[in-house]
Amino acid sequence: MTYVSDPAAPRIAIAGATGAVGNTLIELISSRGLRHRGVRLAASARSAGRTVEVDGRAQVVEDLDGFDFTDVDLAFFSAGTSVSEKWARPAAAQGALVIDNTNAFRMDPDTPLVVPQVNADVLLAGRPASGIIANPNCSTIPLVRLLQTVEQRWGIRQVVVSTYQAASGQGQHGIAELREGSALALSDPDAELPADRFKPALAFNVVPFIDKLLDTGFTMEEQKMLQESRKILGLPHLDVTTTCVRVPVVNSHSEAVWIEATEPVDRAELVGRLAALPEVTVHDKDTPGGFPTPRTAGEPDHVHVGRIRVAPHNPRGFWLWLVADNVRIGAALNAVQIAEYVLDRGLL
Amino acid sequence: MTYVSDPAAPRIAIAGATGAVGNTLIELISSRGLRHRGVRLAASARSAGRTVEVDGRAQVVEDLDGFDFTDVDLAFFSAGTSVSEKWARPAAAQGALVIDNTNAFRMDPDTPLVVPQVNADVLLAGRPASGIIANPNCSTIPLVRLLQTVEQRWGIRQVVVSTYQAASGQGQHGIAELREGSALALSDPDAELPADRFKPALAFNVVPFIDKLLDTGFTMEEQKMLQESRKILGLPHLDVTTTCVRVPVVNSHSEAVWIEATEPVDRAELVGRLAALPEVTVHDKDTPGGFPTPRTAGEPDHVHVGRIRVAPHNPRGFWLWLVADNVRIGAALNAVQIAEYVLDRGLL
Ligand SMILES: NC(=O)c1ccc[n+]([C@@H]2O[C@H](COP(=O)([O-])OP(=O)(O)OC[C@H]3O[C@@H](n4cnc5c(N)ncnc54)[C@H](OP(=O)(O)O)[C@@H]3O)[C@@H](O)[C@H]2O)c1
Ligand SMILES: NC(=O)c1ccc[n+]([C@@H]2O[C@H](COP(=O)([O-])OP(=O)(O)OC[C@H]3O[C@@H](n4cnc5c(N)ncnc54)[C@H](OP(=O)(O)O)[C@@H]3O)[C@@H](O)[C@H]2O)c1
């Protein structure tokens, strides 16, 4: 129980509380013992009135439409980009510090884009002009956590990433559609599969298309990884190019990452530096299995790295394979760690 | 019916006739009207005695152990590397020209490694010293079919590939294991899944490990793509680096391919050149869906390419997404097209 009467503890609200990220926020607030003076829950009119347990107390879900943020100190938003576009600024204007999980404000110059392990220090400047702190995209977060040490030690010439992104990136409906489609395909190979969240259907397929197509021919998801990495790392010319692909995995994104450094890279030193990063697990030849996969990586609150190998023909080039829980590391945990940083330093 | 009495038509044998590739060889010999004077079938003792239909005739499967190739002109081998290591040279010594689908002879200097659309002309030198023509790896074949035109027009500085390889790459048992594991995982999230062909289990997972691990930290599958591409394209210094990943797709491999050319690349010209290649379909913005996926690419005997995009910040760098049926394009069809080339030119 981390409900406290201490007036320094924040009053919290979660918009999108009934979703995949919202559920995990509730669980993490409890399991990590985040001190608070109450957690209010909001979602759409569809879920308003439902009861959800928070820190052992039954809590009624409210309609976000008409929700009053006047008595809220800290508001987590994870109800989709258009919902944040509509409600995050009003919530901030009513006094709440907003931690936003959507794409709505990530590139806004008045909004810091934060991965606590990488650039939390930008928060020391005090309350952002927008009243909002943005959480990066779920594929960007684990990547920049590894890139930072590479840049500092060897310099980065180029990063080429192919992603293997799980259905849960489309929330609970995404997971349901993958399960339903898979069951159908197993029972009837000619069945028409549901293709609402994923087009074409994701069951027993891979779909190289996430979010919308831009004029460059890249998708928005691919562009986010470039732009957000540059902003978080403070490297406006960083060269990151990506193909983003949805795969029929329930949860946890994977990425095959090729990095060309500016200096030759010693593998042993690279492994040592990655293993020393906070909340990172390196899987190597001596680990059972030797490499992480979405279903077997273990500790869900770590970024898992394996298949670390320097190219025999190019000592500046090396591959990493990373696996990270997109709902936790890529969203809810990152948001809660931002909150912890802000609260621990009295920055609210 | 392409059984003919013409003495110029070959007597054919298929070793591994009951497998995924073997089945497809039988189907293609029939559907493409390959002229022959009989097709004998061989497999292990497990399948010997079974009857399989070939070109409308019932044919009994023989045990490869003790099989006499004296009266065989053309022998397709697709029964695994160790089987080819044991039986392909004896078959060639008995007079058969062997077209081998396995990894046994690909890098042998006395054995040509052939993708008909790319380097069939090496076959004009006549019967290889080994009596064997090797079929490349299923991920290499579609890749080199696209790389050749890029090299000729713009030059290649570097190729970075991440693969998305289907369960059928491990044959019929691989497909069965994926289906069985998927059904189990759907009915019970805590079920222990079969993990014999794929370790860990492939259902709802991605596994960045195919074939065995080498001292370099790369897998054999990854090394094959480099070495085979160099041999087929006749470019001993070509720089191809790969991460090979198994995905829970039944059939057809996909690849996210980043190419850095030595000259700036014009996208329209690139699209035009790729679309002009034989048996290649380009999917572009104007195609329904706009990109190929394993389940929706269409024509199984074409290499499908989409998501063609030049990097905004680097006019020499571009991405391709390719999808190709690994059992057909990556094995059986390539082998049959080698046979057609040899037979059409009287090279047997
Ligand atoms: N899943 C991930 O890996 C991930 C990672 C990073 C960021 N995000 C971002 O987090 C957000 C939520 O993702 P999710 O995976 O949790 O999705 P989800 O499972 O579909 O949940 C969506 C949540 O938003 C609520 N909602 C939807 N429309 C609303 C509206 N008009 N007004 C108020 N509430 C509304 C839903 O409430 P109802 O129950 O009432 O429908 C639900 O609580 C998205 O913006 C996503 O981009 C997700
Ligand atoms: N699948 C692909 O995408 C692909 C692509 C390129 C190359 N290849 C290569 O082609 C080969 C076959 O692949 P596949 O996918 O067709 O595998 P598969 O479905 O498992 O079939 C294997 C075949 O080999 C036979 N066989 C196994 N052990 C044998 C032995 N000791 N003696 C004689 N026959 C034996 C099997 O006969 P039984 O029925 O008697 O067991 C069966 O006919 C492999 O070497 C593979 O590397 C496959």
Side-chain angles (χ1 to χ4, degrees), chain B residues 15-23 42-48 50 61-65 77-84 87 100-103 106 135-139 141 166-174 197 224 246 251 253 325-328 330-332:
Chain B
T18 54
V21 175
N23 281 339
S44 80
R46 290 181 293 276
S47 300
R50 270 181 54 192
V61 177
E62 302 171 59
D63 191 338
L64 182 61
D65 208 337
F77 270 74
S78 64
T81 297
S82 60
V83 174
S84 286
W87 295 112
D100 185 41
N101 270 297
T102 79
N103 191 37
R106 288 177 187 153
N135 222 36
N137 177 270
C138 43
S139 297
I141 292 172
S168 63
Q170 279 289 314
Q172 290 176 331
H173 297 282
R197 298 284 161 147
K224 284 176 204 166
R246 191 73 71 184
N251 191 44
H253 291 354
D325 185 321
N326 49 298
V327 174
R328 298 174 76 93

Side-chain angles (χ1 to χ4, degrees), chain A residues 222 239 243 307 309 313, chain B residues 163 222 239 243 307 309 313:
Chain A
E222 290 159 353
D239 184 351
T243 293
R307 301 291 331 274
R309 57 208 194 277
H313 59 282
Chain B
T163 70
E222 290 158 353
D239 184 352
T243 294
R307 301 295 327 277
R309 56 208 195 278
H313 59 282

Side-chain angles (χ1 to χ4, degrees), chain A residues 16-21 43-44 46-47 64 78-81 83 101-102 138 168-169 171-173 326-327 330-331:
Chain A
T18 54
V21 175
S44 81
R46 290 181 293 277
S47 300
L64 181 61
S78 64
T81 298
V83 174
N101 271 297
T102 79
C138 42
S168 63
Q172 290 177 330
H173 297 282
N326 49 299
V327 175

Side-chain angles (χ1 to χ4, degrees), chain A residues 99-127:
Chain A
I99 300 180
D100 186 40
N101 271 297
T102 79
N103 192 37
F105 302 99
R106 289 177 186 152
M107 299 314 296
D108 172 26
D110 291 334
T111 300
L113 183 63
V114 177
V115 178
Q117 294 83 351
V118 175
N119 68 333
D121 52 350
V122 299
L123 296 173
L124 297 173
R127 187 181 167 95

